[in-house]
Amino acid sequence: MLTAARAPDARLCLATRQVTPLSDMLRYVVGPDGAIVPDLSRKLPGRGAWVTATRAALDQAIKRKAFGRAFKGKGQSAPDLPDLVETLLVADTRAALSLANKAGRVVTGTTKVQSALSDGNISLLLHASDARPDGIRKLNGFARQLEAAGMHPVAIVDCLSGVELDLALGRSNVVHAALLSHPTTAGFLARCRRLERWRMGTTASVPEGHCPPPDRMQGTDTE
């Protein structure tokens, strides 16, 4: 197994005990009140503890009281910590969509989305997670037809609800949208993938008796 010293862009996950790239992890610190708090920006002061960026991994870390050991008893993880992480990830994803919208990269409405797809300038097709299945099938099918005809493929995501789309875009009843190719679109897609992985990712089960003791040098940092 790689050590943290050999892999500066990786850390040991408190839950899985696997050395994992930082891009696939979330950092946690102890707040002023002693509570464990997520550090999505990786900028909060103090020693950090790292967990694979899935709800399953965080649930596992909490169950094993891994934070208490990593922080030498100084941190307490609240039962609703996974819900807090999801709330923050959704807010960050929504903010990225808002940024793309302010850059003029977002098209909404089924007719306008179809037109934009036909023009070949779209790199991402976005559906509300609670959109009607028939509307999703229609637009996805249209995108696949264009791809088969030689158009470049588009990413398709549905990680935000209709209410969240409305909040991000500052308009009502957004169900389908498309994002033009742009750095802000790439940033939004990266956050969508992170949110999807958080919700759907799984971790390998490690029997409690076989879980090695926390390694301060690998499972935490001094950032």
Side-chain angles (χ1 to χ4, degrees), residues 1 4 11-19 47-51 60-61 64-73 206 208-221:
M1 178 184 293
R11 291 290 189 279
L12 185 70
C13 172
L14 292 183
T16 67
R17 309 304 298 166
Q18 298 293 318
V19 176
R47 177 175 294 279
W50 296 81
V51 180
Q60 196 174 79
R64 291 179 173 159
K65 299 179 171 42
F67 286 111
R69 294 194 295 269
F71 291 117
K72 298 187 179 299
V206 181
E208 185 67 28
H210 293 79
C211 184
D215 185 329
R216 179 180 176 183
M217 294 302 294
Q218 292 185 344
T220 58
D221 60 40

Side-chain angles (χ1 to χ4, degrees), residues 123-127 136 139-141 143-144 147 154-159 189 193 196:
S123 62
L124 189 151
L125 181 57
L126 172 62
H127 305 296
I136 294 175
L139 285 173
N140 287 357
R144 285 194 292 268
E147 182 180 346
V154 299
I156 301 174
V157 296
D158 61 353
C159 58
L189 178 59
R193 295 306 188 208
E196 289 171 349

Side-chain angles (χ1 to χ4, degrees), residues 26-215:
L26 291 176
R27 183 175 186 262
Y28 298 83
V29 300
V30 180
D33 59 354
I36 301 297
V37 296
D39 177 21
L40 267 62
S41 66
R42 303 176 181 176
K43 295 179 180 179
L44 293 178
R47 177 175 294 279
W50 296 81
V51 180
T52 301
T54 67
R55 178 182 280 269
L58 180 56
D59 286 340
Q60 196 174 79
I62 293 172
K63 180 180 179 181
R64 291 179 173 159
K65 299 179 171 42
F67 286 111
R69 294 194 295 269
F71 291 117
K72 298 187 179 299
K74 295 181 180 179
Q76 296 292 327
S77 53
D80 63 349
L81 180 58
D83 293 332
L84 172 61
V85 173
E86 170 133 0
T87 297
L88 293 175
L89 289 174
V90 169
D92 192 45
T93 303
R94 198 170 62 220
L97 178 58
S98 179
L99 186 63
N101 186 50
K102 290 176 181 176
R105 301 290 106 181
V106 180
V107 175
T108 61
T110 301
T111 301
K112 291 183 178 179
V113 168
Q114 283 186 316
S115 178
L117 285 169
S118 298
D119 291 340
N121 297 323
I122 294 302
S123 62
L124 189 151
L125 181 57
L126 172 62
H127 305 296
S129 59
D130 47 0
R132 291 173 60 89
D134 55 344
I136 294 175
R137 284 194 299 269
K138 179 179 179 180
L139 285 173
N140 287 357
F142 186 61
R144 285 194 292 268
Q145 289 175 8
L146 293 174
E147 182 180 346
M151 290 276 194
H152 67 80
V154 299
I156 301 174
V157 296
D158 61 353
C159 58
L160 297 176
S161 69
V163 170
E164 289 158 352
L165 295 184
D166 292 350
L167 290 172
L169 300 176
R171 63 196 76 169
S172 300
N173 302 317
V174 178
V175 180
H176 307 287
L179 278 71
L180 305 173
S181 299
H182 190 262
T184 56
T185 297
F188 171 64
L189 178 59
R191 285 163 175 80
C192 286
R193 295 306 188 208
R194 181 174 64 170
L195 181 56
E196 289 171 349
R197 185 169 187 269
W198 162 259
R199 290 169 170 169
M200 304 301 295
T202 59
T203 61
S205 177
V206 181
E208 185 67 28
H210 293 79
C211 184
D215 185 329

